[in-house]
Amino acid sequence: MDRPLGRACGNALETEEAILALRGEGPPDLMDVTYALGVEMLLAAGIEKNSKKARARLENALGSGLAAEKFEQIIEAQGGNPRVVEDPSVLPQAQAVEVFNAPETGIITRVEPRAIGRAVVALGGGRVQVEDDVDASVGFVITAKPGDRVVEGEPIASVFARDATGIELGMAALREAIVIGGKLEQKPLPLVSHRVTKTGVETLAAIPQPPGRAPRAAPRG
């Protein structure tokens, strides 16, 4: 994993992004990996006989609303609030939000996932000790991807924190994690590279990336 998958990093933020994915509206890279895994699950279960039909079945489940409806049923069965699927604002909300702007003009050469992961924990979104509480509201939304051209001052991420101290910590983490240079020195790793089965290892063709930039980062309402 050489860059974060999708745009959201943090418990509630990733849940909201997952809900979008169940509607077929998730970030392209997240949807590509989700479809790849879903296809293999349908094939392994014997529900479909080939990848093309499995992919079509998944697309229909998302496009028809069946996937989101099933998630509502799962949440309700476990005593949660199924209304979150229609209204993600019922998820925990960060008390402080600030947009991170590109510090210079250039090409995004790196978005370091380890630095982001450590920062989520430092913000309170993960445990250092087993007994630690987790703040589900904190984290990051990062729209910048390796290869994107950015202009100094344009928004490329957002920090979600408990307070001003958390915002300062998060901004420092983004300055460390997001590297801007003159050109992309190394192509990002493929999202899905191989398929491993009982008959051997199959190298997969690279998934084509859609043209255009991802939507800009913005605080949740």
Side-chain angles (χ1 to χ4, degrees):
M1 186 173 182
D2 62 340
R3 73 273 195 192
L5 183 66
R7 297 189 288 265
C9 306
N11 295 280
L13 295 168
E14 291 184 42
T15 299
E16 183 174 353
E17 188 167 75
I19 290 170
L20 289 175
L22 288 172
R23 300 174 182 158
E25 301 170 2
D29 57 343
L30 176 62
M31 296 308 301
D32 285 339
V33 173
T34 299
Y35 279 128
L37 294 172
V39 163
E40 295 304 322
M41 292 177 71
L42 290 177
L43 294 178
I47 295 173
E48 293 293 352
K49 300 300 183 184
N50 62 64
S51 298
K52 185 176 180 180
K53 288 184 177 180
R55 171 69 182 241
R57 190 184 188 100
L58 293 171
E59 290 176 346
N60 178 69
L62 271 61
S64 67
L66 287 175
E69 181 181 345
K70 180 58 66 176
F71 188 44
E72 286 183 340
Q73 294 170 0
I74 292 171
I75 294 171
E76 187 170 19
Q78 296 187 48
N81 181 2
R83 193 165 64 88
V84 68
V85 177
E86 292 297 328
D87 182 15
S89 69
V90 304
L91 289 166
Q93 300 291 308
Q95 296 301 304
V97 181
E98 188 164 330
V99 172
F100 177 81
N101 297 319
E104 59 183 295
T105 297
I107 303 297
I108 301 292
T109 62
R110 180 87 171 143
V111 181
E112 174 51 57
R114 290 180 181 85
I116 297 299
R118 289 193 297 266
V120 171
V121 174
L123 287 169
R127 292 184 176 90
V128 177
Q129 304 292 333
V130 174
E131 63 273 13
D132 289 347
D133 291 330
V134 172
D135 186 342
S137 72
V138 302
F140 302 91
V141 172
I142 305 172
T143 59
K145 295 288 185 183
D148 286 350
R149 177 171 177 79
V150 296
V151 177
E152 181 180 354
E154 76 167 293
I156 58 174
S158 293
V159 180
F160 296 77
R162 294 169 173 168
D163 50 31
T165 300
I167 290 292
E168 184 177 345
L169 186 156
M171 299 294 271
L174 290 174
R175 285 191 291 270
E176 174 191 351
I178 301 176
V179 181
I180 300 175
K183 63 178 180 179
L184 189 64
E185 299 289 347
Q186 186 175 3
K187 291 179 63 177
L189 294 173
L191 292 172
V192 182
S193 62
H194 296 78
R195 181 174 183 266
V196 182
T197 70
K198 63 182 179 181
T199 61
V201 179
E202 175 187 355
T203 301
L204 301 177
I207 299 174
Q209 296 300 300
R213 291 277 315 268
R216 300 287 190 265
R220 288 188 298 163

